Amino acid sequence: MMPIKVPDPGADQEAEEQGAVDPSGLPPRDVLRVLYIDDDPGLGRLVRRKLSRLGFEVDLATSGVEGLARLSGGGIDAVALDHFMPGQDGLETLAAIRAMPDPPPVVYVTGTQESRIAVAALKAGAADYVIKEIENDFIELLGSAIEGAVQTVRMRRAHEAAEEEIRVARDRFEALAAERALLLREMNHRVGNSLQIIVSMLHVQAGATGNPEVQEALNAARGRVAAVAQVHRRLYTSDQVATVAVDQYLAALVDDLQVSARHGDAGIALSVASDPVAIDPDRAVAIGVIVTELVINASKYAYPGGAGPVRITLRESEGTIRLVVEDDGVGLPPESAVSTSGLGNRIVRAMAAKLSAQLSFIARQPQAGETGTCVCLVFPLDARS
């Protein structure tokens, strides 16, 4: 037969004093361990007994030195600290506690007429203070102050932890974004180099053939590839890898086209005027290819046997871009402007469709002294529009 164990009332009372028994009979949901430092051992036992009934676990220390030694062992959620103690008073002990790494909150316990000391304790880092009046609700107020101080510390630490998580996530995102930008820049650098090699090969091939038609076709292909290569060159030399500055891109593209548009001392003179507009790389390629094709056409047909200007203008207004390429040459017959089915015309129309652009050939009036060809494209700045 199993022996019957008889409960020891003295043991229950001692356990209650240590905070292990909840008078309600229910287990505490969040037991706080409190260190009460006071040189009056009788008051300390009274505080421990009453705080234990309120659900706290209480350790006692009768001096600042003893309290600091207990704190060094860890496991303390809050400290209740009396001011008047021999050897090392409460303010000195408070300073030593605050100097510890990650110190617990301190509730300062003062006498009735010692508001000056309470203010000094708060300035020194105490979380709260309680007036020590045994005949009043001193211990209940002390328990409430301890709970409030611990809750404040926990909220502060949770806030700091959340901010740290946000900072770490932000740093990780910035690092990933920087790595992605570097990879995109490197990719554009390699693509640009590869396209430049193709441009050089087309140039060599054009120079090696004696057939004017083949040479013309190779030079046209070289211009088209160069327009795409220029976009990638702008991307890997710019801080922005998601957009292309169209004004800078067109200026560099025109410099490249000007070289191939010269035929000895003759040839067209290119000029560009563009608003500072940023656009995505795919649409920038379409703009570059259109400008290249129209410049190639102007160099072949606008000024037969002579020279003249070709003006490239890009303006942005209220989310709409207007691109104009015009010359003062001999112009095109109206039916040619509309119905030509050559490769260059098909490329221009395909790129205009990619831009969702309205393509028009503006008629000139020779009787009014107007000559040349004017091609206009109007399209939205935002591709989603």
Side-chain angles (χ1 to χ4, degrees), residues 136-158:
N136 293 328
D137 298 330
F138 156 63
I139 297 179
E140 287 75 8
L141 291 174
L142 178 61
S144 297
I146 290 171
E147 288 181 340
V150 171
Q151 184 66 20
T152 299
V153 170
R154 289 178 176 177
M155 291 177 62
R156 175 177 57 81
R157 290 175 179 171

Side-chain angles (χ1 to χ4, degrees), residues 83-100:
H83 174 66
F84 289 109
M85 291 185 296
Q88 179 173 293
D89 65 15
L91 290 177
E92 294 173 329
T93 305
L94 175 60
I97 294 174
R98 297 292 297 170
M100 290 181 169

Side-chain angles (χ1 to χ4, degrees), residues 10 12 26 43 49 57-58 79 85 102 136 144 161 200 274 278 339 362 373 377 385:
D12 287 345
L26 298 175
L43 179 59
R49 183 179 299 110
E57 293 184 358
V58 182
V79 176
M85 291 185 296
D102 196 18
N136 293 328
S144 297
S200 300
S274 173
S339 62
I362 300 176
T373 302
L377 292 95
S385 301

Side-chain angles (χ1 to χ4, degrees), residues 364-371:
R364 296 298 178 93
Q365 300 178 358
Q367 64 274 19
E370 297 179 355
T371 61

Side-chain angles (χ1 to χ4, degrees), residues 78-81 94 97-98 104-108 125-129 149:
V79 176
L81 176 62
L94 175 60
I97 294 174
R98 297 292 297 170
V106 176
V107 176
Y108 211 72
D128 202 350
Y129 73 93

